[in-house]
């Protein structure tokens, strides 16, 4: 993985430097699914990439009938997976909009996830899509020992996913989001779960970033000295530890993990560790993610402010 140095404009595409995925997204927009089939089929032994690619493709396909048409014309594991992801996104969007159709769409999505899981039983991705839907019906399984607040949640489904893939990135992020205040959880529960999950993960895992995700989620710009939170010893230690243990592994990734790098760069910048932040920004090249920057204002403006602070170039006019 080599994102290269920054030039020109920010690239906000979630496909980043996965060129095959970017081409498949273009084809999906044009109503073609052959390349989507190809990029998903070749990830049957790489669940992290499979989860990411299927989610990006679904975000492109969700406003068209491509997923339904593909499933009808050429049914199979990949078609079923894209349909499950599309149905999941539609249900979540309706729920976020407060649309009364959310219940019907959620039932469709769960049925689609069940079908995809039967097509390829070893793939955790359909179960992760099911996990994303749990914030709609709020299951209340008892928490395992080791959590201070013992928050109830979809622990049984999460445990099933972990049996398929113990360190699945999206599964952990979806599970953590269940406990966010905006979805009916609480700050104390999300902090507790983020700490519990990150401490279980190896020091070299991107899951160590979960407390930084919870920190951004809990950000309140009206709170006294809110932006100084990242300068506290706890968060400096968290960010620098991730930079020391996980960040060197990024060079071996197939594709640039833009979102994870964005959270790390942001935490280091806010902690006034500009030297380390500069390294992370450089590894990202031109690729950018709207989170966590959008939690603090216009994402492009916030990103440019951070890059300038680190002595890095920004797009003209930013």
């Amino acid at each position: 993985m080599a994102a290269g140095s920054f030039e020109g404009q920010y690239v906000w595409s979630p496909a980043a430097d996965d060129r095959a995925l970017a081409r498949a997204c273009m084809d999906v927009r044009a109503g073609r699914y052959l390349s989507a089939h190809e990029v998903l089929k070749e990830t049957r032994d790489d669940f992290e990439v499979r989860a990411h690619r299927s989610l990006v493709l679904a975000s492109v396909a969700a406003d068209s009938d491509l997923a339904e048409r593909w499933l009808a014309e050429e049914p199979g594991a990949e078609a079923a997976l894209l349909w499950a992801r599309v149905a999941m996104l539609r249900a979540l969007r309706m729920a976020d909009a407060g649309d009364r159709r959310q219940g019907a769409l959620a039932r469709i999505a769960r049925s689609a996830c069940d079908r995809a899981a039967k097509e390829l039983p070893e793939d955790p991705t359909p179960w992760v899509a099911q996990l994303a839907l749990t914030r709609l019906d709020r299951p209340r399984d008892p928490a395992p020992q080791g959590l201070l607040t013992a928050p109830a949640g979809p622990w049984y489904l999460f445990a099933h996913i972990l049996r398929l893939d113990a360190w699945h990135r999206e599964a952990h992020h979806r599970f953590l989001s269940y406990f966010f205040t905006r979805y009916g959880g609480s700050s104390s529960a999300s902090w507790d779960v983020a700490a519990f999950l990150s401490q279980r993960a190896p020091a070299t895992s991107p899951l160590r970033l979960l407390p930084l995700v919870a920190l951004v989620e809990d950000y309140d710009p009206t709170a006294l000295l809110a932006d100084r939170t990242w300068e506290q010893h706890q968060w400096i230690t968290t960010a620098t530890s991730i930079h020391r243990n996980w960040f060197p592994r990024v060079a071996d990734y197939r594709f640039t993990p833009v979102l994870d790098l964005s959270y790390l760069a942001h935490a280091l910048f806010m902690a006034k560790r500009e030297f380390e932040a500069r390294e992370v920004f450089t590894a990202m090249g031109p690729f950018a993610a709207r989170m966590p920057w959008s939690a603090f204002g216009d994402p492009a403006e916030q990103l440019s402010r951070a890059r300038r602070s680190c002595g890095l170039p920004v797009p003209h006019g930013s």
Side-chain angles (χ1 to χ4, degrees):
M1 187 282 298
S5 60
F6 177 84
E7 292 181 7
Q9 302 297 312
Y10 297 130
V11 178
W12 297 98
S13 168
D17 51 355
D18 185 343
R19 295 180 180 177
L21 176 59
R23 287 192 296 270
C25 287
M26 292 179 62
D27 284 348
V28 167
R29 289 189 184 95
R32 299 186 295 267
Y33 53 75
L34 178 59
S35 56
H37 176 267
E38 292 172 348
V39 298
L40 289 178
K41 187 174 182 179
E42 71 98 4
T43 63
R44 288 191 178 189
D45 60 351
D46 190 336
F47 296 139
E48 291 295 333
V49 176
R50 187 173 180 83
H52 176 68
R53 283 182 170 179
S54 62
L55 185 60
V56 173
L57 288 167
S59 69
V60 177
D63 295 325
S64 73
D65 67 347
L66 180 134
E68 294 95 322
R69 183 161 49 82
W70 180 10
L71 192 63
E73 294 174 357
E74 296 186 29
E78 281 62 50
L81 178 60
L82 186 68
W83 168 232
R85 292 296 233 171
V86 164
M88 175 204 80
L89 287 179
R90 289 175 181 168
L92 295 178
R93 288 176 182 177
M94 285 296 177
D96 291 342
D99 194 297
R100 62 184 182 182
R101 292 172 292 176
Q102 64 173 285
L105 289 176
R107 287 190 293 273
I108 292 171
R110 292 190 183 95
S111 176
C113 291
D114 288 342
R115 176 171 178 169
K118 290 175 183 175
E119 288 279 355
L120 200 65
E122 67 271 22
D123 180 12
T125 318
W127 298 102
V128 175
Q130 289 267 30
L131 185 62
L133 295 167
T134 58
R135 67 175 170 88
L136 305 183
D137 59 355
R138 309 295 299 171
R140 307 288 291 172
D141 308 330
Q145 293 183 346
L147 288 96
L148 295 174
T149 61
W155 290 98
Y156 298 156
L157 176 55
F158 185 53
H160 175 74
I161 295 170
L162 298 189
R163 286 192 289 272
L164 295 173
D165 187 350
W167 309 116
H168 196 281
R169 182 197 175 279
E170 185 185 340
H172 282 75
H173 281 264
R174 294 287 186 186
F175 186 69
L176 174 60
S177 71
Y178 173 94
F179 298 96
F180 288 167
T181 302
R182 59 182 157 135
Y183 297 141
S186 66
S187 293
S188 59
S190 62
W191 286 116
D192 201 5
V193 170
F196 177 75
L197 297 180
S198 66
Q199 290 165 8
R200 288 179 63 255
T204 54
S205 170
L207 298 178
R208 290 286 179 144
L209 285 155
L210 289 170
L212 299 181
V213 175
L215 186 60
V216 171
E217 178 66 23
D218 210 39
Y219 173 71
D220 179 4
T222 66
L224 184 65
L225 300 177
D227 287 354
R228 302 292 295 272
T229 301
W230 284 262
E231 296 177 40
Q232 296 174 11
H233 177 72
Q234 172 189 358
W235 300 116
I236 293 175
T237 300
T238 298
T240 54
S241 175
I242 296 166
H243 177 267
R244 181 174 62 255
N245 295 305
W246 171 69
F247 178 63
R249 300 293 186 97
V250 170
D252 298 325
Y253 276 44
R254 286 182 65 187
F255 309 111
T256 307
V258 177
L259 186 57
D260 287 336
L261 289 172
S262 293
Y263 273 98
L264 178 57
H266 173 265
L268 291 167
F269 161 68
M270 295 291 281
K272 301 190 183 305
R273 302 300 293 255
E274 283 88 355
F275 179 80
E276 292 91 340
R278 180 188 176 99
E279 291 185 330
V280 179
F281 281 128
T282 301
M284 292 169 64
F287 303 110
R290 300 192 185 281
M291 286 296 289
W293 312 105
S294 61
F296 300 83
D298 178 81
E301 292 177 1
Q302 295 296 316
L303 177 56
S304 291
R305 182 170 72 92
R307 288 180 61 94
R308 281 196 206 94
S309 178
C310 297
L312 291 169
V314 301
H316 179 69
S318 294

